[in-house]
Amino acid sequence: MSSDKIIDGRVLSSQIKNEIKEETRRLYEEKGIKPGLAFILAGENPASQVYVRNKGKACEEIGFHSITNVLPEKTEEGEILDLIKKYNEDAGIHGILVQLPLPKHISEDKIIEAIDYRKDVDGFHPHNVGNLLIGRKCFISCTPFGIIEMIKRHGIKTSGMNAVIIGRSNIVGKPMAALFLRKDINSTVTVCHSATKDIKEYTLNADILVAAMGKPYFVKPDMVKEGAVIIDVGINRIEDKSAPKGTRLVGDVDYDGCFDKASKITPVPGGVGLMTIAMLMRNTLDAALGRIF
Amino acid sequence: MSSDKIIDGRVLSSQIKNEIKEETRRLYEEKGIKPGLAFILAGENPASQVYVRNKGKACEEIGFHSITNVLPEKTEEGEILDLIKKYNEDAGIHGILVQLPLPKHISEDKIIEAIDYRKDVDGFHPHNVGNLLIGRKCFISCTPFGIIEMIKRHGIKTSGMNAVIIGRSNIVGKPMAALFLRKDINSTVTVCHSATKDIKEYTLNADILVAAMGKPYFVKPDMVKEGAVIIDVGINRIEDKSAPKGTRLVGDVDYDGCFDKASKITPVPGGVGLMTIAMLMRNTLDAALGRIF
């Protein structure tokens, strides 16, 4: 089902990574600087292990210097704080990424706040979130940043458009809303969530619809306006006896059902998810370039 | 035109100030602590002078300790930064307020970021704005905080309601949106602004309508849903030859026109504006009580 309707995360993310690779090469040639990214992973969450491995691989491909610290499940908060302190002070490290979730006895808030916000390439530190909302330079959380990049690179008009976001998570829904409000994007923004009554009333008026609530196939064709741009952030694993593993990944949008109505749509897999690592690399390179702070 | 429709800022703000006064008295009796607020005013903006004077008076009435620093227009940035540093380190000062706007040669961003966010009782520091958006404890910017207080004290239901905000300023529209999204308030939120097309389409569906764009009489009765709660943040001075001074203050809402349709409405003057100082006092007391950080 190839079509120019499809916003292909594979194509865009590899294009962006190539650009970053080229800029990284030049930065090294001209100034001898190699962007450095430190990963901290605590515990044995299998998904987290895969994420960190993939991010490490991306660093290698692009030409970043990276260090991965794997700590046991029972690591004490103080040990992670010490590591963060070390990297905060290390001029060769431009970004620090603590993979979430952390073991339950560790305060994620405390850990994130301990990262120097000028090295918070995930964009989760309150200082960056605040600057995002008030329209100043900051590290933008990677998933919403990737979505905006998809929208821009497909030449989708945003100014004056009605952007409706379903979901109010701290890593997608809320920073996404803040981004759409920025003057250079300039959309009217609505955030719907679990307490919203008659959600269809909002989604049916959306020029740009971002689905980020983590419910498989939640967005059905009767909820979508003809010609809408549909961005699917969901990654849900559902049972599928016909699939080799007995399960498969689906988004928050009924992709096949909504395809005809959409003017543009992101697939799952192969859509938004692939942009996240690319934007993490972008943030880290920008940190090394001193472009943000 | 007295009616139980009217959300009276005069009544509510004096009620809140009385509560704060009582808590302040107890805090002093029990722990010997007096909340301390430091004001910094640079330049000769007459409105700023009035604001700072009124805030100082409120401190006196309530029983706070306050210091007002009045600096000349040509003050250097470094002098203000030095003052802030002094108050950041002063254990007797719980809140620091730099009155905006500052003279043009001074970077407001830099000044606000220099304030220890744990003393930023205005709620303008990116750290506080970020925490507001991600739903953590923080100082909430006083005008949106006052609006939520008005809504709560009038028993207005917010969960699942459709809140529409007109205006995306950093001190009202954006923090207001962040507040409405919090789980304890739980409204669906739309932010409209200068680029919004057909604004009526949004406002006509608002259960709670917050007008904060600074245009006199912008919200007309044909833009309002029957039974809506209307919150008017505008303070506009317009010509009025019949008024003693030749001008008078009006809001962003056509109050007389919208009155019949509204289930609740805030007047201007005598509405939201009066809440701001009360909430500043609340933030300062909370700082002294160690309730936020």
Side-chain angles (χ1 to χ4, degrees), chain A residues 158-165 180-181 186-192 199-209 225, chain B residues 161-167 188-211 213 218-226 228-230:
Chain A
T158 54
S159 184
M161 296 292 109
N162 183 23
V164 176
I165 301 159
F180 274 121
L181 282 178
N186 223 18
S187 304
T188 303
V189 178
T190 298
V191 182
C192 300
I199 204 160
K200 215 165 121 175
E201 215 180 86
Y202 302 93
T203 58
L204 269 176
N205 291 314
D207 300 310
I208 302 171
L209 181 60
K225 182 164 102 168
Chain B
M161 296 293 108
N162 183 23
V164 175
I165 301 159
I166 317 177
T188 303
V189 178
T190 298
V191 181
C192 299
H193 47 76
S194 51
T196 298
K197 289 180 196 157
D198 198 2
I199 206 160
K200 214 165 124 175
E201 215 179 86
Y202 302 92
T203 58
L204 268 176
N205 291 315
D207 300 310
I208 303 172
L209 181 60
V210 179
M213 78 302 254
F218 182 85
V219 175
K220 303 279 182 205
D222 68 342
M223 295 170 68
V224 174
K225 183 164 104 170
E226 191 71 44
V229 172
I230 303 177

Side-chain angles (χ1 to χ4, degrees), chain A residues 92-107:
Chain A
I93 292 297
H94 305 94
I96 303 170
L97 188 151
V98 179
Q99 184 65 44
L100 303 180
L102 287 168
K104 282 195 181 126
H105 62 285
I106 293 171
S107 157

Side-chain angles (χ1 to χ4, degrees), chain A residues 109 113 126-127 130 133-134 136 160-162 168 170 174 181 186-191 193 195-197 202, chain B residues 109 113 126-127 130-131 133-134 136 160-162 168 170 174 181 186-191 193 195-197 202:
Chain A
D109 290 0
E113 287 200 24
H127 197 109
L133 187 61
I134 58 190
R136 290 201 223 140
M161 296 292 109
N162 183 23
R168 57 175 155 178
N170 287 336
K174 290 175 186 172
L181 282 178
N186 223 18
S187 304
T188 303
V189 178
T190 298
V191 182
H193 47 75
T196 299
K197 289 179 197 157
Y202 302 93
Chain B
D109 290 0
E113 289 201 21
H127 197 109
N131 273 337
L133 188 60
I134 59 190
R136 291 202 223 139
M161 296 293 108
N162 183 23
R168 58 176 153 177
N170 287 336
K174 290 174 185 175
L181 281 178
N186 222 19
S187 303
T188 303
V189 178
T190 298
V191 181
H193 47 76
T196 298
K197 289 180 196 157
Y202 302 92

Side-chain angles (χ1 to χ4, degrees), chain B residues 115-175:
Chain B
I115 299 172
D116 184 334
Y117 68 89
R118 291 163 298 189
K119 297 191 177 187
D120 165 45
V121 286
D122 250 345
F124 293 165
H125 192 291
H127 197 109
N128 281 311
V129 178
N131 273 337
L132 178 66
L133 188 60
I134 59 190
R136 291 202 223 139
K137 276 195 173 183
C138 63
F139 290 116
I140 301 168
S141 152
C142 301
T143 302
F145 192 13
I147 291 169
I148 288 298
E149 206 58 30
M150 288 178 131
I151 287 175
K152 284 186 177 168
R153 289 183 187 233
H154 272 259
I156 293 163
K157 191 175 175 254
T158 53
S159 183
M161 296 293 108
N162 183 23
V164 175
I165 301 159
I166 317 177
R168 58 176 153 177
S169 72
N170 287 336
I171 58 169
V172 184
K174 290 174 185 175

Side-chain angles (χ1 to χ4, degrees), chain B residues 4-8 228-232 253-256 258-260 262-267:
Chain B
D4 63 0
K5 259 191 196 188
I6 300 170
I7 302 179
D8 188 330
V229 172
I230 303 177
I231 308 288
D232 190 351
V253 175
D254 172 0
Y255 182 85
D256 293 339
C258 295
F259 192 85
D260 285 342
S263 64
K264 295 271 179 192
I265 189 165
T266 66

